[in-house]
Each structure stands twice: as structure tokens, then as C-alpha cells.
Amino acid sequence: SQQGEEDPQALSIQEGENATMNCSYKTSINNLQWYRQNSGRGLVHLILIRSNEREKHSGRLRVTLDTSKKSSSLLITASRAADTASYFCATDGNTDKLIFGTGTRLQVFP
Amino acid sequence: GAVVSQHPSRVICKSGTSVKIECRSLDFQATTMFWYRQFPKQSLMLMATSNEGSKATYEQGVEKDKFLINHASLTLSTLTVTSAHPEDSSFYICSATIEHRVVTEAFFGQGTRLTVV
């Protein structure tokens, strides 16, 4: 399977703490994307990082990419209860298909 | 941003019946759409690539006669789950992509929760 893996599978933190999720993938990529999914809902695109970029910021989100290790991390700073969701990385594998990671379920307690 | 509308959001059907799920790109044309399936607490698994005007491309292990895909226009793809069984109960999500110069941007429907009883 080409599916990437994410860790941790589940993460519980208090509001105000930072949350870090990691993603590993298997193939070469053009870009890597992070998505958020609230329970039972569709996916919302968070951020895209290209294969020639190493770090990218968007608001409270910080994404890093290490193509030599085929890994990426998503950091959510100063987390809020509303950040509770599942987070998925997705890679394009040099194709037009998106291959999703296994996801991290984040729970932020007020 | 671009909008992809998926309908219905929830459907309950009896075993043996067929269910059709629609995926529409509302403000852009999508020559390619993708269908994903998601089991509870798991990731999305790509089922098939829907190509406008031609046959869909199915991923390994996905039965094409079971999951019929029709992409008759540039704004509509449908997934029909034929002779549904309880094990087909799942969350189905479609996506459509817009290709920019160096990156492809994906937009997702809201998903359809199928329950087969």
C-alpha cells in the first residue's frame, strides 16, 4: 500500500498547549498537504507545502517537510477546543491522486 | 474557493438495493473527480478516479461492478453502490481537482454516510 502513516494515532491535550502530528510517506512527491476533518464531515484543506520547501506557516499552523526522510510534521500552537478534529496528511506521489495518511485524532480539552 | 457539493449527506437503504451518490463541482469544471471511502476512525482510501467522458479507473481491490461510476458531464460524477450489503456501510467522499501550473488543488464534498440495513 502507498498509504502514508501518521503518528500519534490519537492525541489529547489541554487548551493552550501545542499539538504536533507527524506524517511519513513512501513515494517521491510534488507536494504534501494537510487536511482537517471534523467528525462525520468532509475534509477541509489546511495547508500545502511543496517538495522544495522546508517550512511553512499559516496562522497557528506550522508545517515542516523533510524529503530526505519522507516525513512532515504539523504543529498547532496555542490549541483551542475548536481544534478538536482528525488531521490527515496527503501526498500526490507525482500523480494527480491524493494518498492520505492514517490520520491523527486530536482532542483538545477546555 | 471552489465548491464541491455531494448529495445526499446521509442515506439508509435496505440490503440488496442500490444507492446513487452525486458529486457536483458548482463553480468550476472538473475533468477528473475522485471517490474515497472512509471506515470509522480510519483514513480515506481512494476507490476510483472518475474521468469525464470515459471509464473510471478503479484502485486495486475495488469492485467496478459493485461501485458504478459515471462522469457524464464536466460538473457531475455519480457513484452507485449496487446491491448494497451491510459491509458497504461507510462514509463516501468525493473530490474534484483544479490544476494550477505547479500544483493540483483538491476540493472535497461534504461526504455521504451510507448505512445498509
Side-chain angles (χ1 to χ4, degrees):
Chain A
S1 167
Q2 293 185 21
Q3 188 175 31
E5 292 187 6
E6 290 180 57
D7 77 273
Q9 287 188 333
L11 179 62
S12 295
I13 58 175
Q14 295 291 134
E15 265 191 331
E17 295 180 340
N18 296 340
T20 299
M21 291 159 263
N22 303 296
C23 164
S24 62
Y25 56 92
K26 298 180 180 179
T27 66
S28 60
I29 62 172
N30 289 320
N31 59 73
L32 183 144
Q33 305 180 51
W34 284 89
Y35 290 85
R36 167 195 167 124
Q37 184 183 33
N38 284 25
S39 181
R41 304 293 295 274
L43 278 77
V44 174
H45 182 260
L46 294 177
I47 196 166
L48 178 150
I49 185 166
R50 297 179 186 177
S51 59
N52 62 352
E53 298 176 309
R54 291 295 165 259
E55 188 171 312
K56 203 161 183 180
H57 296 254
S58 176
R60 293 185 295 115
L61 306 180
R62 174 177 165 253
V63 169
T64 62
L65 179 64
D66 186 336
T67 52
S68 66
K69 294 181 179 178
K70 289 187 167 60
S71 68
S72 174
S73 69
L74 170 67
L75 168 67
I76 303 175
T77 60
S79 63
R80 306 166 182 168
D83 294 329
T84 295
S86 291
Y87 292 82
F88 296 93
C89 66
T91 55
D92 62 348
N94 280 325
T95 69
D96 58 356
K97 302 176 186 179
L98 280 179
I99 306 298
F100 286 85
T102 48
T104 294
R105 294 190 307 280
L106 173 66
Q107 173 111 43
V108 181
F109 291 99
Chain B
V3 175
V4 173
S5 175
Q6 189 173 337
H7 178 80
S9 58
R10 289 179 180 272
V11 59
I12 300 174
C13 71
K14 292 183 178 180
S15 280
T17 61
S18 296
V19 173
K20 180 184 284 189
I21 303 170
E22 293 186 348
C23 180
R24 293 180 186 274
S25 56
L26 294 187
D27 50 2
F28 66 101
Q29 294 182 331
T31 55
T32 305
M33 291 186 176
F34 302 91
W35 287 95
Y36 296 85
R37 180 174 183 175
Q38 186 181 34
F39 290 105
K41 297 185 179 180
Q42 294 189 28
S43 185
L44 280 80
M45 299 298 294
L46 179 64
M47 298 174 66
T49 303
S50 171
N51 304 298
E52 187 269 335
S54 65
K55 291 182 180 179
T57 305
Y58 290 83
E59 295 299 302
Q60 193 172 10
V62 178
E63 299 176 61
K64 60 181 180 181
D65 295 328
K66 173 77 170 174
F67 299 100
L68 298 179
I69 291 173
N70 185 283
H71 195 152
S73 77
L74 287 171
T75 58
L76 173 64
S77 174
T78 60
L79 168 68
T80 301
V81 183
T82 63
S83 187
H85 291 285
E87 57 264 32
D88 298 324
S89 297
S90 190
F91 192 59
Y92 294 87
I93 300 179
C94 69
S95 79
T97 56
I98 295 177
E99 294 190 17
H100 303 288
R101 259 196 315 147
V102 293
V103 69
T104 299
E105 196 171 4
F107 299 92
F108 290 84
Q110 305 94 318
T112 297
R113 182 161 303 286
L114 171 63
T115 303
V116 185
V117 298

